[in-house]
Amino acid sequence: MSRRSGERRRFLTDRMLGTLTRYLRFMGYDTMSANSLSPGSSREDTLLLEIATRDDRLLLTRDRELARRGGAQAIYIASEEIMAQIRQVADLGVIEPRIRMSRCSLCNTRLRPATVREIREARYAPRSARGKEFSWCPTCRKLYWMGSHSDRLEKRLNEMRSSP
């Protein structure tokens, strides 16, 4: 796998890792999910391995056999618990677990700064925008900001990093 200096790792997750997919996106990692593929393909495992190789993505999977087939291009995720999954990937040195809010958690599109109009028209935006930075997903048309949800995620990541 070729990786230029400073280039961030890109991931591909299987269908069993939806929560990990969203967390990786919140952490700013380009993470493609098998859920974006058409369901029901008997060749899905082979397709995932092909995508990982072609797109230089690290395949994260709960399928032991698929991870074995993927060799160095795949990691078997041992736990079903999200914080244990993040710790496993972080302990391997392929992620830095902190919230960056640079990718849409739903579709993986890179976020851009939100316009005043986008903030104003988002019904779920906080009443006070004072001191907040807003980002916008041009694909999903979703507004993001560091609020209580992202603060809780960051707190969980900090607790995970500080525990043995």
Side-chain angles (χ1 to χ4, degrees):
M1 281 180 282
S2 63
R3 183 135 324 268
R4 287 175 282 184
S5 178
E7 190 176 335
R8 296 176 59 79
R9 169 63 75 185
R10 295 169 7 135
F11 298 97
L12 172 61
T13 57
D14 71 12
R15 293 182 188 275
M16 296 177 272
L17 295 172
T19 302
L20 180 59
T21 300
R22 287 189 304 279
Y23 270 68
L24 288 169
R25 289 172 179 171
F26 277 128
M27 288 185 264
Y29 293 96
D30 180 342
T31 307
M32 181 181 175
S33 171
N35 290 327
S36 66
L37 305 173
S38 297
S41 170
S42 60
R43 292 193 61 244
E44 184 166 287
D45 287 359
T46 302
L47 181 58
L48 290 174
L49 293 171
E50 289 171 0
I51 292 169
T53 300
R54 180 191 69 219
D55 294 349
D56 192 23
R57 291 180 181 273
L58 186 59
L59 174 61
L60 305 176
T61 180
R62 292 272 302 130
D63 182 330
R64 219 181 273 274
E65 175 60 21
L66 178 57
R68 186 194 63 71
R69 286 178 53 204
Q73 196 77 31
I75 295 174
Y76 170 69
I77 301 296
S79 178
E80 291 182 21
E81 200 277 314
I82 183 60
M83 295 315 289
Q85 292 172 354
I86 293 169
R87 178 184 294 279
Q88 178 186 349
V89 179
D91 286 350
L92 293 171
V94 293
I95 65 166
E96 181 187 334
R98 68 180 189 87
I99 301 300
R100 289 181 184 81
M101 288 294 202
S102 59
R103 292 202 165 267
C104 178
S105 65
L106 301 175
C107 73
N108 197 40
T109 298
R110 187 174 297 278
L111 301 176
R112 64 161 173 76
T115 65
V116 171
R117 181 179 181 181
E118 290 162 342
I119 297 166
R120 187 178 59 241
E121 292 179 355
R123 296 175 194 217
Y124 51 89
R127 292 177 192 213
S128 172
R130 205 175 279 155
K132 292 180 176 57
E133 289 183 32
F134 294 89
S135 299
W136 182 256
C137 176
T139 303
C140 293
R141 304 184 56 77
K142 182 172 169 47
L143 185 68
Y144 288 88
W145 68 95
M146 292 295 282
S148 59
H149 180 66
S150 53
D151 289 344
R152 282 191 302 274
L153 292 177
E154 188 71 37
K155 182 180 178 195
R156 288 183 76 192
L157 293 173
N158 288 337
E159 288 169 355
M160 179 207 67
R161 284 192 303 253
S162 64
S163 67

